[in-house]
Structure formats: structure tokens, C-alpha cells
Amino acid sequence: MVKLWQGESAQWRIELETGGEGTALSLHTGAQGRVLIVNLGGEPTAETARRAAAKAVKTLRGLEAASAVLDAAPVVKVLGPEGPAALAQGAELACYRQPSWKEEPDKPFAFYLAGAEGPEAETALREAQAVTRWVYFARDLVNCPANLLTPQDMAQRMAEAAGKLGVEAEILDETQTRALGMGAFHAVGDSAAHPPRLIVLRWRGGKEDTPPIALVGKGVCCDTGGYCLKTAAGLKGTRGDMAGGAAVCGALLALAENRVPVNAAAVIPAVENRLSRDSFLPGDVIRSMSGKTIQVNNTDAEGRLILADAVTYALQKEGASRVVDIATLTGACVAALGFTTAGLVTNDEGLFLALMNAAKRAGEQYWRLPDFPEYKQMIESPVADLCNQSSDGCGAITAGLFIGAFAGTTPWVHLDIAGTAWVDRPRWEYQVPGATGAGVTTLYQLCRGLADAP
Ligand code: BES
Ligand code: MN
Ligand code: ZN
């Protein structure tokens, strides 16, 4: 974590042409080391500050530096107390190293922030650093291979982290979820030798009688596709199919660490989608917890099945007044929006605007997809209330609308992070190959924005 610099701040002013936004220039200063100048571009924002700090850290590490002091004074002038917080966030996210099972650990790198003094800047910095810690936590879980992270392992790691913050964690085992009638969740969850878990985390920082916002995250620890088996290329990287679950857990624990006065519940259906003697089959008709029946057209469209029951659980058992679901749900979303932008489907203008505001603060990109009635017809079934694969394409929209059918009239937003949760090649400077932690900061900012007035 970034520490505050206790020495003197540098007193210089250099004007240079350093090329376009985000370019870095390194100057030798003899025995003292180096000065690195990073161009923030024309009108700096929190996001350009994050990217610039990340660029600086990556450049310095590339130059084998063991430590660095980042001068926050220039961004304080433009961005106020949020400026140093953004710098710290960018720098820390760029320093992330995925959990390694190698014998040789990475060289440590010490990082200090100067010019960020004063109570306001320090408060903003502390808040941002707590969020960054939970982005790290989410990245760690997503990077963890499936053989080391079964649904039960994930439940334990989340519950343990929650326990340290005084957050209530409830892990429902397969007997309990079966008793609740979670047939869609079990259709997928029973496909593996490792039994499914429903993980529920509750942060009650708000008023006693305010119903919680539910954050529902897809927790598929590995996705073989089931009988609709994926190809070898398709199987690679499906360890990341629990990124939505990691995101809601990270966001909720960041709310708790920062004592945000809001009531929120994270609901994470954790399963493996595998092949076994009892795996469900295309053509099966299953009954969800809501009572709605579903015709399974494709066992690889498993995320929406477990999320359907998790949304019902959030409404019926947690009494949620708003629902956000987040999932690495469709290849179609990656095809439509790529790796920089997540898809969004919603039934509520107010929650939509709140989400987009939160995303802007977080520096994440979401794009709303249409929900015309024709799209809903694509997931009708001749024999059941719904089917789990569209009859006419539009995979990202129809997957979202499938989940929306279980939210009913409760304000709901669906986020498809299939493209943004994992990058083999970073798209922004503060990403590193592997898990990105997509969604953590946006969901945190959303709930913070909805917090009770003091
Ligand atoms: N987890 C996948 C979606 C996915 C694909 C995430 C690529 C990240 C990268 C999901 O469970 C899936 O398999 N979806 C299918 C749905 C289809 C069968 C209707 C898909 O997108 O192909
Ligand atoms: Mn799948
Ligand atoms: Zn999946």
C-alpha cells in the first residue's frame, strides 16, 4: 500500500513537450536517481490521474527502481482531495501481482505519495485505499484456478474476510438450498462432485428499517459448458466465471470497511458447471425457486439459471428493494462491446442513472442495451415459462432479460462483465494480465451514493 511521504516535496517546475496524454519521460538526476514526468493530458480527471500514476509505476518498475515518491501536488490543484486518492488507486492497481505458486517471490516496490497532506485528502485517500484492497481481494479470487477454489473454498474465503470486518456471512449448503426449492441453481450445481453453496453477506450500516439493496454475483468456479461442452479454447480461463461473485463480495466488504451508512446484501450462487453422471441435459424442464419453469436449451447458459434463483432469494429472503446482478454472462457481450465496456440491461431509469454516475466515479464503462418486447419473445418456450437460450440471437440482451424476468417490477440492473473481468492484455495502465476486479468500485460507489442521509 502507498505510504505518505514524510520528506520534503520537490521544488521545481519544468515545462516540456512529452508527447500525448499518458506518455512518460524519464530524466537522470545523477546520484539522486531519476525524475519521471507523466503527461496527464489536457483536462485531467480522476481517471487520467489513475492511468498516469499506473503508467509511472509500471515505467519505474521496468527501470528496476526499488522505490518511488509520487508528487500529488499538481493533481490536488486540479482535482482537489480526490486527486491523491486517484493517484494512489492507479499506482496500487498497477502494482498488483497475481497469486503465484512459484518458489521465487517478486521484488518488493516501495511507493510514497507526497503533496497530499490535509484531513480532506487523507480521508479520501483512506477510503480509496480500502476500496483498492478489495479490488485486490476480488482479483485474487478470480485468478485462483478452479482446482484450488471450489464453491466451498470460495464460501470459506469470503466468510473469513467478512468475519474480520464484522460482516454477517451465511453459507447455505446443498440441503438448505434444496429445501428452498432452488431448482435452477441445483440443475447446474449438482453437475459436479463439489457441491454448490449459496453465499450471503450482509452489511447493515444503514437505518434499521431500510430494506437492503441486493448485489447478486455469478459464482461459477469453472464452466465446462456441461453436456454442451466447450471447446479446448473455450475452456481456457473459465476459472474467471465467478468474477461477478468476487465483485459483489469485494464491494460489500469495502462498504463495511468504510462504514458506509447503507444496508446491502451480497448474494453469490457458487457452483461448478461440469459433467457428471447426473448432469442436467438440453431439453430438461426445471422449476425455479420463483415457481417459474425453465426449458434448458443449452447447458452452457448456466449463469442465468443460478442467477434467476439468487435474485428470487434476494427478493424473498433478504427483502431487497433494488437488485443489481453482475456476471461474466455471455460471449455475445464480448462480441458487441469488447474488453473495455460492460453491457447493461435494466428496468428502472433511476437505478440506471445512479449506476452510470457510480461508474463514472469508478472509471469504469458500461453501455445500456435495448429491452424491446421482441427480445423478450426470443426466450419464450412452448412448454415452459421461459427457455435459457434465445431462439433468435441477441445473446447479451436476452440473457439479461431472462434474469430480469425474475426481478419482476423491483428496480433492477444487470451488468455483463464477460469482456471486462479478465484481460490477457491490459487495456488500461492500471490493469495487469488476468483478473481486473471489474465491478467492485462501481458497485461500491453505487451503494455509497444510495446511502442514508446522516
Ligand atoms: N461464462 C460464459 C460466458 C463467457 C464467455 C464469459 C466468454 C467470458 C468469456 C457463459 O456461461 C456461457 O457459456 N455463455 C454462452 C451462452 C450461450 C450458450 C447461450 C455463450 O455466451 O456462448
Ligand atoms: Mn457457460
Ligand atoms: Zn458461464
Side-chain angles (χ1 to χ4, degrees), residues 245-297:
V248 298
C249 174
L252 191 106
L253 297 182
L255 290 170
E257 181 162 345
N258 285 328
R259 304 304 240 209
V260 177
V262 69
N263 293 335
V267 180
I268 301 143
V271 300
E272 295 181 337
N273 188 22
R274 289 209 193 228
L275 267 172
S276 75
R277 202 184 56 186
D278 299 325
S279 290
F280 68 139
L281 286 166
D284 283 0
V285 175
I286 57 181
R287 183 179 297 274
S288 68
M289 181 181 180
S290 70
K292 283 193 197 341
T293 54
I294 303 162
Q295 181 182 22
V296 176
N297 283 344

Coordinates of all heavy atoms in Angstrom, one line a residue, residues 245-297:
G245 N -19.3 -12.8 -8.7 CA -19.4 -13.1 -7.3 C -18.3 -12.4 -6.5 O -18.5 -11.8 -5.4
A246 N -17.1 -12.4 -7.1 CA -16.0 -11.7 -6.4 C -16.2 -10.2 -6.3 O -15.9 -9.6 -5.3 CB -14.7 -12.0 -7.2
A247 N -16.8 -9.7 -7.4 CA -17.1 -8.2 -7.4 C -18.1 -7.8 -6.3 O -17.9 -6.8 -5.6 CB -17.6 -7.8 -8.8
V248 N -19.2 -8.6 -6.1 CA -20.2 -8.2 -5.1 C -19.6 -8.4 -3.7 O -19.9 -7.5 -2.8 CB -21.5 -8.9 -5.3 CG1 -22.1 -8.6 -6.6 CG2 -21.4 -10.4 -5.1
C249 N -18.8 -9.4 -3.5 CA -18.2 -9.6 -2.2 C -17.2 -8.4 -1.9 O -17.2 -7.8 -0.9 CB -17.4 -10.9 -2.2 SG -16.5 -11.2 -0.7
G250 N -16.4 -8.1 -2.9 CA -15.4 -7.0 -2.7 C -16.1 -5.7 -2.4 O -15.7 -5.0 -1.5
A251 N -17.2 -5.4 -3.2 CA -17.9 -4.1 -3.0 C -18.5 -4.1 -1.6 O -18.4 -3.1 -0.9 CB -19.0 -4.0 -4.1
L252 N -19.1 -5.2 -1.2 CA -19.8 -5.2 0.1 C -18.8 -5.0 1.3 O -19.0 -4.3 2.2 CB -20.6 -6.5 0.3 CG -21.5 -6.4 1.5 CD1 -22.9 -6.3 1.1 CD2 -21.3 -7.6 2.5
L253 N -17.6 -5.7 1.1 CA -16.7 -5.6 2.2 C -16.0 -4.2 2.2 O -15.6 -3.7 3.3 CB -15.7 -6.8 2.1 CG -16.3 -8.1 2.3 CD1 -15.3 -9.3 2.2 CD2 -17.1 -8.2 3.6
A254 N -15.9 -3.6 1.1 CA -15.4 -2.2 1.0 C -16.4 -1.3 1.7 O -16.0 -0.4 2.5 CB -15.1 -1.8 -0.4
L255 N -17.7 -1.5 1.5 CA -18.7 -0.7 2.2 C -18.5 -0.8 3.7 O -18.6 0.1 4.5 CB -20.1 -1.1 1.8 CG -20.6 -0.8 0.4 CD1 -21.9 -1.5 0.1 CD2 -20.7 0.7 0.2
A256 N -18.3 -2.1 4.1 CA -18.2 -2.3 5.6 C -16.9 -1.7 6.1 O -16.9 -1.1 7.2 CB -18.1 -3.9 5.8
E257 N -15.8 -1.9 5.4 CA -14.5 -1.3 5.9 C -14.6 0.2 6.0 O -14.1 0.8 7.0 CB -13.4 -1.7 5.0 CG -12.1 -1.1 5.5 CD -10.8 -1.8 5.0 OE1 -10.9 -2.8 4.4 OE2 -9.7 -1.1 5.2
N258 N -15.4 0.8 5.1 CA -15.5 2.3 5.2 C -16.7 2.7 6.0 O -17.1 3.9 6.0 CB -15.5 2.9 3.8 CG -14.2 2.9 3.1 OD1 -13.2 3.0 3.8 ND2 -14.1 2.7 1.8
R259 N -17.4 1.8 6.6 CA -18.5 2.1 7.5 C -19.6 2.9 6.8 O -20.1 3.9 7.3 CB -18.1 2.8 8.8 CG -17.0 2.1 9.6 CD -17.5 0.8 10.0 NE -17.7 0.1 11.1 CZ -17.5 -1.2 11.1 NH1 -17.1 -1.9 10.1 NH2 -17.9 -1.9 12.2
V260 N -19.9 2.6 5.5 CA -20.9 3.4 4.7 C -22.3 3.1 5.3 O -22.7 2.0 5.5 CB -20.8 3.1 3.2 CG1 -21.8 3.8 2.4 CG2 -19.4 3.4 2.7
P261 N -23.0 4.2 5.6 CA -24.4 4.0 6.2 C -25.4 3.6 5.2 O -26.3 4.3 4.8 CB -24.7 5.4 6.8 CG -23.9 6.3 5.9 CD -22.7 5.6 5.5
V262 N -25.3 2.3 4.8 CA -26.3 1.7 3.8 C -26.5 0.3 4.2 O -25.7 -0.4 4.8 CB -25.7 1.9 2.4 CG1 -24.5 1.0 2.2 CG2 -26.7 1.6 1.3
N263 N -27.7 -0.2 3.8 CA -27.9 -1.7 4.0 C -27.8 -2.4 2.7 O -28.4 -2.0 1.7 CB -29.4 -1.9 4.5 CG -29.5 -1.3 6.0 OD1 -28.5 -1.2 6.7 ND2 -30.7 -1.0 6.3
A264 N -26.9 -3.4 2.7 CA -26.7 -4.1 1.4 C -26.5 -5.5 1.7 O -25.9 -5.9 2.8 CB -25.4 -3.5 0.7
A265 N -26.9 -6.4 0.8 CA -26.7 -7.8 0.9 C -26.0 -8.3 -0.4 O -26.5 -8.0 -1.5 CB -28.0 -8.5 1.1
A266 N -25.0 -9.1 -0.3 CA -24.4 -9.7 -1.4 C -24.9 -11.2 -1.5 O -24.9 -11.9 -0.4 CB -22.8 -9.7 -1.3
V267 N -25.4 -11.6 -2.6 CA -25.8 -13.0 -2.8 C -25.1 -13.6 -3.9 O -25.1 -13.1 -5.0 CB -27.4 -13.0 -3.1 CG1 -27.9 -14.4 -3.2 CG2 -28.1 -12.3 -2.0
I268 N -24.4 -14.7 -3.6 CA -23.5 -15.3 -4.5 C -23.8 -16.8 -4.7 O -23.5 -17.6 -3.8 CB -22.0 -15.1 -4.1 CG1 -21.7 -13.7 -4.0 CG2 -21.1 -15.8 -5.1 CD1 -20.7 -13.3 -2.8
P269 N -24.5 -17.2 -5.8 CA -24.7 -18.6 -6.0 C -23.3 -19.2 -6.6 O -22.9 -18.8 -7.6 CB -25.8 -18.6 -7.1 CG -25.6 -17.3 -7.8 CD -25.0 -16.3 -6.9
A270 N -22.7 -20.1 -5.8 CA -21.4 -20.6 -6.2 C -21.6 -22.1 -6.6 O -22.1 -22.9 -5.8 CB -20.5 -20.5 -5.0
V271 N -21.2 -22.4 -7.8 CA -21.3 -23.7 -8.4 C -20.1 -24.0 -9.3 O -19.4 -23.1 -9.6 CB -22.6 -23.8 -9.3 CG1 -23.9 -23.6 -8.5 CG2 -22.5 -22.9 -10.5
E272 N -20.1 -25.3 -9.7 CA -19.2 -25.6 -10.9 C -20.2 -26.1 -12.0 O -21.2 -26.8 -11.6 CB -18.3 -26.7 -10.5 CG -17.2 -26.3 -9.5 CD -16.2 -27.4 -9.1 OE1 -16.6 -28.6 -9.4 OE2 -15.2 -27.1 -8.7
N273 N -19.9 -25.8 -13.2 CA -20.7 -26.3 -14.3 C -19.9 -27.4 -15.0 O -19.0 -27.1 -15.8 CB -21.1 -25.2 -15.3 CG -22.1 -25.7 -16.4 OD1 -22.8 -26.7 -16.1 ND2 -22.1 -25.0 -17.5
R274 N -20.1 -28.6 -14.6 CA -19.3 -29.7 -15.0 C -20.1 -30.8 -15.6 O -21.3 -30.8 -15.7 CB -18.5 -30.3 -13.8 CG -17.4 -29.4 -13.3 CD -16.4 -30.3 -12.7 NE -15.4 -29.6 -11.9 CZ -14.1 -29.7 -12.0 NH1 -13.6 -30.6 -12.9 NH2 -13.3 -29.0 -11.2
L275 N -19.4 -31.9 -16.0 CA -20.1 -33.1 -16.5 C -20.0 -34.2 -15.4 O -19.0 -34.4 -14.9 CB -19.3 -33.6 -17.7 CG -19.8 -33.1 -19.0 CD1 -18.8 -33.5 -20.1 CD2 -21.2 -33.7 -19.3
S276 N -21.2 -34.8 -15.2 CA -21.1 -36.0 -14.3 C -22.3 -36.9 -14.7 O -23.1 -36.5 -15.6 CB -21.3 -35.5 -12.8 OG -22.6 -35.2 -12.6
R277 N -22.4 -38.0 -14.0 CA -23.5 -38.9 -14.3 C -24.8 -38.2 -14.3 O -25.7 -38.5 -15.1 CB -23.4 -40.0 -13.2 CG -24.0 -41.3 -13.6 CD -23.9 -42.2 -12.4 NE -24.6 -41.6 -11.2 CZ -24.6 -42.1 -10.0 NH1 -23.9 -43.3 -9.8 NH2 -25.1 -41.5 -9.0
D278 N -25.0 -37.3 -13.3 CA -26.3 -36.7 -13.1 C -26.5 -35.3 -13.7 O -27.5 -34.6 -13.5 CB -26.6 -36.6 -11.6 CG -26.6 -37.9 -10.9 OD1 -27.0 -38.9 -11.6 OD2 -26.1 -38.0 -9.8
S279 N -25.5 -34.9 -14.5 CA -25.6 -33.6 -15.1 C -26.9 -33.3 -15.8 O -27.4 -34.3 -16.5 CB -24.4 -33.3 -16.1 OG -23.2 -33.2 -15.4
F280 N -27.4 -32.1 -15.8 CA -28.6 -31.8 -16.5 C -28.4 -31.8 -18.0 O -27.2 -31.8 -18.5 CB -29.3 -30.5 -16.0 CG -28.5 -29.2 -16.3 CD1 -29.2 -28.1 -16.7 CD2 -27.1 -29.2 -16.2 CE1 -28.5 -26.9 -17.0 CE2 -26.5 -28.0 -16.5 CZ -27.1 -26.8 -16.9
L281 N -29.5 -31.9 -18.8 CA -29.4 -32.1 -20.2 C -30.2 -31.1 -21.0 O -31.2 -30.6 -20.5 CB -30.0 -33.5 -20.6 CG -29.2 -34.7 -20.2 CD1 -30.1 -36.0 -20.4 CD2 -28.0 -34.8 -21.2
P282 N -29.7 -30.8 -22.2 CA -30.6 -29.9 -23.0 C -31.9 -30.6 -23.2 O -32.0 -31.8 -23.4 CB -29.8 -29.8 -24.3 CG -28.4 -30.2 -24.0 CD -28.5 -31.1 -22.8
G283 N -33.0 -29.8 -23.1 CA -34.3 -30.4 -23.2 C -35.0 -30.5 -21.8 O -36.2 -30.6 -21.7
D284 N -34.2 -30.6 -20.8 CA -34.8 -30.7 -19.4 C -35.7 -29.5 -19.1 O -35.4 -28.4 -19.6 CB -33.6 -30.7 -18.4 CG -32.9 -32.0 -18.3 OD1 -33.3 -33.0 -19.0 OD2 -32.0 -32.2 -17.5
V285 N -36.7 -29.8 -18.4 CA -37.5 -28.7 -17.9 C -37.4 -28.6 -16.4 O -37.5 -29.6 -15.7 CB -39.0 -28.8 -18.2 CG1 -39.9 -27.7 -17.6 CG2 -39.2 -28.8 -19.8
I286 N -37.0 -27.5 -15.9 CA -36.7 -27.4 -14.4 C -37.6 -26.3 -13.8 O -38.1 -25.4 -14.5 CB -35.2 -27.0 -14.2 CG1 -34.8 -25.7 -14.9 CG2 -34.3 -28.2 -14.7 CD1 -33.4 -25.3 -14.8
R287 N -37.8 -26.4 -12.4 CA -38.6 -25.5 -11.7 C -37.7 -24.6 -10.9 O -36.9 -25.1 -10.0 CB -39.6 -26.2 -10.9 CG -40.6 -25.2 -10.2 CD -41.7 -26.0 -9.3 NE -42.5 -26.8 -10.2 CZ -43.6 -26.4 -10.8 NH1 -44.0 -25.1 -10.7 NH2 -44.3 -27.2 -11.6
S288 N -37.8 -23.3 -11.1 CA -37.0 -22.4 -10.3 C -37.7 -22.1 -8.9 O -38.8 -22.4 -8.7 CB -36.8 -21.1 -11.1 OG -38.1 -20.4 -11.1
M289 N -36.9 -21.4 -8.1 CA -37.4 -21.1 -6.7 C -38.7 -20.2 -6.8 O -39.6 -20.2 -6.0 CB -36.3 -20.3 -6.0 CG -36.7 -19.9 -4.6 SD -35.3 -19.1 -3.8 CE -36.0 -18.7 -2.2
S290 N -38.7 -19.4 -7.9 CA -39.8 -18.4 -8.1 C -41.1 -19.2 -8.4 O -42.2 -18.6 -8.4 CB -39.5 -17.4 -9.2 OG -39.5 -18.1 -10.4
G291 N -41.0 -20.4 -8.9 CA -42.2 -21.2 -9.4 C -42.2 -21.2 -10.9 O -42.8 -22.1 -11.5
K292 N -41.5 -20.2 -11.5 CA -41.4 -20.2 -13.0 C -40.6 -21.5 -13.4 O -39.6 -21.8 -12.9 CB -40.6 -19.0 -13.5 CG -41.4 -17.7 -13.5 CD -40.6 -16.7 -14.3 CE -41.0 -15.2 -14.1 NZ -42.2 -14.8 -13.6
T293 N -41.1 -22.1 -14.5 CA -40.4 -23.2 -15.1 C -39.5 -22.8 -16.3 O -39.8 -21.8 -16.9 CB -41.4 -24.3 -15.6 OG1 -42.3 -23.7 -16.5 CG2 -42.2 -24.9 -14.4
I294 N -38.5 -23.5 -16.5 CA -37.5 -23.2 -17.5 C -37.1 -24.4 -18.3 O -36.8 -25.4 -17.8 CB -36.2 -22.6 -16.8 CG1 -36.4 -21.4 -15.9 CG2 -35.1 -22.3 -17.9 CD1 -35.3 -21.2 -14.9
Q295 N -37.2 -24.2 -19.6 CA -36.7 -25.2 -20.5 C -35.3 -25.0 -20.8 O -34.9 -23.9 -21.2 CB -37.5 -25.2 -21.9 CG -37.1 -26.2 -22.8 CD -37.8 -26.1 -24.2 OE1 -38.4 -25.1 -24.5 NE2 -37.8 -27.3 -24.9
V296 N -34.4 -26.0 -20.5 CA -33.0 -25.8 -20.8 C -32.7 -26.1 -22.2 O -32.9 -27.3 -22.7 CB -32.2 -26.8 -19.8 CG1 -30.7 -26.7 -20.2 CG2 -32.5 -26.5 -18.4
N297 N -32.3 -25.1 -23.0 CA -31.9 -25.4 -24.4 C -30.4 -25.6 -24.5 O -30.0 -26.2 -25.4 CB -32.3 -24.2 -25.2 CG -33.8 -24.2 -25.6 OD1 -34.5 -25.2 -25.4 ND2 -34.3 -23.1 -26.0

